[in-house]
Amino acid sequence: MAFELDVEKTVPVSDDRPVTSSGEVSLTEGEDAASPYDYEFQPPDGGLVAWSQVFAGALVNMMAWGYPSAFGVYQLYYRDTLKIPEAQVSWIGSLQVFLAFVTCTLSGRLADAGYIKSTIGAGSCLVVLGTFMTSIAPGYWQILLAQGLCTGLGLGIMFMPPLTVINSYFREQRSYALAISAMGTGLGSVVFPSTIQYLIPRVGFPWAVRCAGFIAIFISVVAITILRPQLKPRKSGPLIEWDAFREGPYFLYTLAAFLFFLALYFGLFYINAYARNIIHFSTTDSVQLLLITNGMSVPIRPFVGFVADRWIGPINTYIIATLILGVMVFLWIGVDSRTGMYVFAVFFGLANGAAQGVFGGSLASLTKDPRKMGTRFGMVCTIVGCATLAGPPTAGAIIDRSGGRYIWAQVWAGLVICLASLTFAAARLSATGLRWKIKI
């Protein structure tokens, strides 16, 4: 039994019935508002075209979230060459991730309005421009503007359109499809860091970064070519749907997502620094840990998406996955050997991929009208962006004030992620009440 939220009794259709002030057709007495699909179209839930949209979404995710995952490599390089504190270097990556999230409200609304390919094209141009400017940036502030500001804006602008397209092609297999597209994040977080890490000794930092830019160009062109939107554009409507925050489940979900992403990037940004500074890995070996972590997140994403659709439900799966990730951060405290670091990297990557793999599907289960998916998801991402801006520098400041020890940063991150899991559980209770067997 799938739980659905109460919504206004209007539904987007094309007929001669009266319309509301928002441009949607009013339901007559006795009509069911359970599914907007019933009146406009039935998503195919499979087929070549539908799965090709998932592939295109995976390509965009390779850039949108795989690229920021490479910052662990940049962080070591900048710290060694610029000779500045960890917390200050973290601001570059944090600004990039912050802008990637915060612009999602705008790009989500543009996607709902039908500007799919043009929005991805604009975002791709900014990503490529920022990447090539990073390759020639002479100092900290220039890197902050190029990699943090320009690239971050581009990543956020291009992320939302494929999500709305995939959501319109699937219903029963929605979480599974979104989780498969999220595999692109894991693939990108292996491709981009390894490109930078292994080309720097051969061609130097500038050309290593430019090679990453050429990869971004190729990915963007292929994704834009494949995408085929099918929903009718929702031209009218506000940029921000403020009434959504009056819904208890949506408000609590947003709060939980804020807490989750506040601590999420601590592990991704600092696992290689921890290995080098505490366990005494070489720079190359420490980057390999980051690649292992990112690589292990790839196979787990479709698995948790399948489990969410088939048995548990996306929000239930998200609660469990975030709790496991929080526990993994606490277990990190006890790692004190090279073997332990490799084992931890494997299981941390699995836990991280599982948690992120159902992020889109869990919110989609609370969004009844697929034409509002971009707007609602974008609003969450914008708020989450504030968390990603503050999280890594906070962890860096804790490490610096602890004399280079990581234990208190690990305790902080573990507590915050576990609190996020409890808040996701509160969102579920707000939606379903004390009915534990409901699949949602």
Side-chain angles (χ1 to χ4, degrees):
M1 173 181 176
F3 180 85
E4 294 183 321
L5 300 176
D6 292 333
V7 294
E8 179 186 3
K9 283 204 168 185
T10 59
V11 63
V13 294
S14 299
D15 59 17
D16 296 328
R17 288 178 290 178
V19 297
T20 66
S21 58
S22 63
E24 296 178 321
V25 178
S26 298
L27 293 175
T28 58
E29 184 177 359
E31 287 187 298
D32 183 13
S35 176
Y37 297 112
D38 297 339
Y39 298 96
E40 192 165 64
F41 69 96
Q42 287 289 341
D45 249 334
L48 179 61
V49 175
W51 288 111
S52 69
Q53 307 311 294
V54 175
F55 176 66
L59 291 176
V60 173
N61 278 326
M62 282 185 68
M63 284 181 58
W65 302 117
Y67 193 103
S69 297
F71 190 74
V73 179
Y74 286 100
Q75 174 134 344
L76 283 176
Y77 181 84
Y78 292 153
R79 192 193 66 177
D80 293 343
T81 57
L82 301 178
K83 306 298 182 183
I84 56 178
E86 298 269 16
Q88 190 174 349
V89 175
S90 292
W91 278 108
I92 301 172
S94 293
L95 178 61
Q96 183 184 83
V97 176
F98 165 72
L99 292 174
F101 275 115
V102 81
T103 53
C104 284
T105 293
L106 174 62
S107 62
R109 187 64 190 90
L110 288 171
D112 287 345
Y115 301 104
I116 302 293
K117 295 191 175 186
S118 56
T119 301
I120 298 176
S124 301
C125 288
L126 286 174
V127 172
V128 173
L129 175 63
T131 300
F132 280 96
M133 290 298 100
T134 300
S135 72
I136 61 174
Y140 176 77
W141 289 106
Q142 292 84 356
I143 295 172
L144 182 69
L145 292 174
Q147 188 175 9
L149 179 63
C150 185
T151 302
L153 285 172
L155 294 172
I157 290 172
M158 70 182 301
F159 167 59
M160 286 304 304
L163 186 73
T164 61
V165 173
I166 295 171
N167 186 60
S168 70
Y169 275 88
F170 293 89
R171 187 179 185 183
E172 298 298 327
Q173 300 187 83
R174 182 190 297 156
S175 294
Y176 182 50
L178 290 172
I180 290 179
S181 72
M183 288 176 64
T185 300
L187 293 172
S189 60
V190 172
V191 170
F192 286 106
S194 58
T195 298
I196 300 298
Q197 175 64 26
Y198 294 111
L199 285 183
I200 287 177
R202 292 169 173 80
V203 299
F205 179 77
W207 271 106
V209 175
R210 288 170 199 148
C211 287
F214 290 130
I215 294 173
I217 293 173
F218 174 77
I219 290 173
S220 302
V221 171
V222 174
I224 292 173
T225 302
I226 294 176
L227 277 173
R228 293 185 181 179
Q230 70 167 348
L231 280 179
K232 293 181 180 179
R234 186 170 65 95
K235 299 287 187 181
S236 61
L239 177 65
I240 300 175
E241 189 185 347
W242 294 107
D243 287 344
F245 292 110
R246 297 180 181 177
E247 301 172 9
Y250 184 85
F251 173 78
L252 289 169
Y253 182 95
T254 304
L255 176 60
F258 178 90
L259 293 171
F260 176 62
F261 281 90
L262 182 65
L264 175 65
Y265 283 91
F266 164 67
L268 295 176
F269 281 14
Y270 284 97
I271 186 172
N272 53 344
Y274 177 89
R276 199 173 81 162
N277 298 334
I278 304 300
I279 312 298
H280 307 298
F281 274 54
S282 66
T283 298
T284 300
D285 288 345
S286 67
V287 172
Q288 287 176 353
L289 282 176
L290 178 64
L291 298 180
I292 291 171
T293 300
N294 292 335
M296 292 307 299
S297 71
V298 175
I300 196 66
R301 293 173 190 258
F303 175 76
V304 295
F306 179 78
V307 169
D309 277 335
R310 187 71 178 269
W311 293 296
I312 302 178
I315 292 182
N316 294 334
T317 306
Y318 204 16
I319 293 168
I320 297 169
T322 51
L323 182 60
I324 292 173
L325 182 61
V327 171
M328 286 301 305
V329 175
F330 281 119
L331 293 177
W332 186 7
I333 297 173
V335 177
D336 58 2
S337 67
R338 293 178 65 90
T339 301
M341 279 304 306
Y342 282 113
V343 172
F344 172 76
V346 169
F347 285 97
F348 181 74
L350 290 171
N352 180 66
Q356 293 194 67
V358 286
F359 178 46
S362 60
L363 182 58
S365 69
L366 297 179
T367 305
K368 289 183 62 64
D369 188 346
R371 301 190 308 164
K372 293 182 178 181
M373 179 64 180
T375 300
R376 284 202 165 202
F377 195 87
M379 289 160 54
V380 172
C381 288
T382 296
I383 293 172
V384 160
C386 299
T388 62
L389 180 66
T394 300
I398 294 173
I399 294 168
D400 290 338
R401 294 200 174 191
S402 301
R405 299 174 65 219
Y406 284 71
I407 182 171
W408 295 114
Q410 292 163 327
V411 169
W412 167 80
L415 286 174
V416 171
I417 293 175
C418 288
L419 180 60
S421 178
L422 294 176
T423 311
F424 280 125
R428 182 200 184 280
L429 287 175
S430 178
T432 66
L434 296 176
R435 290 176 289 177
W436 303 107
K437 295 183 179 181
I438 290 180
K439 176 184 172 184
I440 178 175

